[in-house]
Amino acid sequence: MKAKLRGLRPDLAPWRSSRDFRLLWGSGAVSGLGSFFTYVAVPLQIKQLTGSYLAVGLTGAVELLPLVVFGLWGGALADALDRRKLVLGAETGLGLLTALLLANSLLPHPLIWPIYLVAALTAALDGLRRPALDALLPRLVRHEQLTAAFALQQLYYSVGALLGPALAGVVTAGAGVPTAFAVDAASFACSALLLVRIRAVPPPTGAEKPSLAAVLAGIRYAWSRPELLGSYVVDIAAMLFAFPIAVFPFLADRLHAPWALGLLYAAPAVGELALSVTSGWTSAVHRHGRMLVLAALGWGAAMTAAGLVDNIWLVLAALAVAGGADMISGTARSAIWNQSIPDELRGRLAGVELLSFSIGPQLGQLRAGGTAAVVGVRGSVWLGGVACVLSVGALAAVLPRLLAYDARTDPHVAAVRAQREAAELVA
């Protein structure tokens, strides 16, 4: 029994073996927690200024194009420049943008257009940062520790997603939206201080210079691997149809529980945290494609339940189940990506991945707001969940290579493992 319980505990090997991973983990934990304050404050402020479902959902639309352009270009930069410096520069810029939101919120009559402008600029900087951040991880931990390292990152994200929205809800209700922006700005400053201490991570030997041709080479590589494409489209479908975050301020009102707004944002993190603290079993999973599909189906089913029930506590429970499914889905995707993509392409493929798990949520916010305007808030939530289940089921039927993926026998995984072992011998 004790052995089984030990098998459920998070694998701490990356923490023990890599000082730089500990610094990266700490940086992500601090800035991630702070970002949830803005995550809650922005839609709440837009709701207060406009009272419009669509106006809140439009934040996803204004973020989409910058994410597409800068995500792909950021991937090419991550393969050609020092990845740590890219992350540090983007993190600093994000802190400055949050300070602009703070300044606007302190005006006697806050303006709506600066919120959308900052949302677009934030998406651009995030597009530059995320590929470098994702490509940084495989250089800081051993190949066999990648799944455990991602699970540990999910742990801090889950804790942040649980505490951040709940605290943000209390702060915005008691001290106002400006205080939430101030907390986030301070978190970026603390994160930058930790990132400065990580060793330099120069580009791989013979790295291509950033160019359109380099970006296209990364896209062609992704296109050549059906299991990678499958991981992208399944995630896009799940988020496009079943990501109702934009309507949470209205859902809280519809359920006669405005006091629970922070809890609605935090509820998925309860499930994520429960799975994260028992994530030891994920290191033993090898069929990551099947793991991804099953988790996406669970996400959609849980969102369907969240829209159908009208009791706030049952809604929160359904969202918690959805969060657990999302944690499993993220672990599966990360395992496929980190274990099977060569280092010289890692940044560009991270840019493609950024699009896959960002386009869905951005369009999902617009879908949720637009659908709510037609069928109501609860209808928007449960119809999206049903559409998610149907679309993921259809995709699984036409993506046999994704379902057949096995890390023990995949030739791409074997090649990346050999590449990493050779680099460690040279070091």
Side-chain angles (χ1 to χ4, degrees):
M1 183 64 180
K2 290 183 178 180
K4 290 182 179 180
L5 291 176
R6 283 195 298 270
L8 291 176
R9 291 184 304 193
D11 184 351
L12 302 181
W15 260 341
R16 298 191 186 101
S17 62
S18 175
R19 167 187 175 272
D20 287 332
F21 175 73
R22 292 193 295 271
L23 290 170
L24 183 68
W25 193 95
S27 167
V30 171
S31 67
L33 178 63
S35 294
F36 279 106
F37 280 74
T38 295
Y39 187 66
V40 171
V42 164
L44 180 61
Q45 186 177 39
I46 295 175
K47 172 181 176 288
Q48 291 171 344
L49 294 175
T50 68
S52 167
Y53 296 125
L54 192 56
V56 175
L58 279 175
T59 55
V62 301
E63 291 169 351
L64 183 57
L65 182 60
L67 268 176
V68 172
V69 174
F70 289 91
L72 291 174
W73 186 246
L77 291 175
D79 282 337
L81 303 174
D82 186 315
R83 292 166 181 172
R84 180 191 66 94
K85 289 182 179 179
L86 274 175
V87 175
L88 178 59
E91 197 88 351
T92 302
L94 289 169
L96 293 175
L97 289 175
T98 306
L100 289 178
L101 287 175
L102 171 60
N104 180 62
S105 68
L106 292 172
L107 295 175
H109 301 287
L111 304 173
I112 190 69
W113 67 262
I115 302 174
Y116 289 122
L117 175 62
V118 169
L121 294 174
T122 296
L125 277 179
D126 196 38
L128 294 176
R129 178 187 67 159
R130 290 289 286 275
L133 187 61
D134 290 345
L136 190 59
L137 180 63
R139 296 284 291 275
L140 301 183
V141 300
R142 297 171 185 168
H143 185 270
E144 66 274 12
Q145 295 176 352
L146 284 170
T147 301
F150 181 79
L152 289 174
Q153 287 185 317
Q154 284 293 99
L155 179 60
Y156 78 62
Y157 179 84
S158 300
V159 172
L162 178 61
L163 297 179
L167 292 174
V170 173
V171 167
T172 54
V177 166
T179 303
F181 292 141
V183 170
D184 191 17
S187 76
F188 279 119
C190 295
S191 172
L193 292 175
L194 292 171
L195 289 170
V196 166
R197 301 179 59 196
I198 296 178
R199 62 178 170 83
V201 182
T205 304
E208 292 186 55
K209 292 182 179 180
S211 65
L212 179 59
V215 172
L216 293 176
I219 295 175
R220 284 195 298 271
Y221 177 83
W223 190 260
S224 72
R225 293 189 50 193
E227 69 278 16
L228 280 183
L229 288 177
S231 71
Y232 301 151
V233 297
V234 166
D235 186 52
I236 290 173
M239 296 295 107
L240 169 63
F241 293 115
F243 191 75
I245 304 299
V247 299
F248 276 4
F250 302 97
L251 182 60
D253 290 343
R254 177 65 180 79
L255 295 171
H256 309 290
W259 52 269
L261 176 59
L263 295 180
L264 288 173
Y265 285 108
V270 175
E272 292 175 6
L273 181 58
L275 268 295
S276 295
V277 298
T278 58
S279 63
W281 61 273
T282 60
S283 296
V285 175
H286 306 288
R287 304 296 294 270
H288 298 113
R290 291 186 180 184
M291 181 181 179
L292 168 59
V293 169
L294 291 173
L297 290 172
W299 165 268
M303 284 299 180
T304 301
L308 290 174
V309 298
D310 59 2
N311 179 280
I312 182 61
W313 298 108
L314 292 178
V315 172
L316 293 173
L319 291 176
V321 173
D326 189 46
M327 184 272 171
I328 296 173
S329 171
T331 301
R333 294 194 309 272
S334 176
I336 295 173
W337 299 341
N338 287 325
Q339 291 180 348
S340 68
I341 297 173
D343 189 52
E344 65 272 15
L345 287 166
R346 193 69 193 87
R348 280 165 285 177
L349 269 294
V352 176
E353 291 153 19
L354 172 64
L355 301 186
S356 79
F357 58 69
S358 297
I359 287 178
Q362 306 314 320
L363 292 179
Q365 292 184 67
L366 186 60
R367 184 221 58 90
T371 307
V374 177
V375 300
V377 177
R378 291 177 57 200
S380 174
V381 176
W382 75 259
L383 282 172
V386 171
C388 170
V389 171
L390 294 176
S391 61
V392 170
L395 287 169
V398 299
L399 293 170
R401 291 284 293 275
L402 177 62
L403 293 178
Y405 177 87
D406 190 327
R408 295 167 296 187
T409 57
D410 186 84
H412 301 286
V413 174
V416 171
R417 183 184 297 111
Q419 179 190 51
R420 183 60 187 274
E421 289 173 352
E424 289 173 353
L425 286 175
V426 172

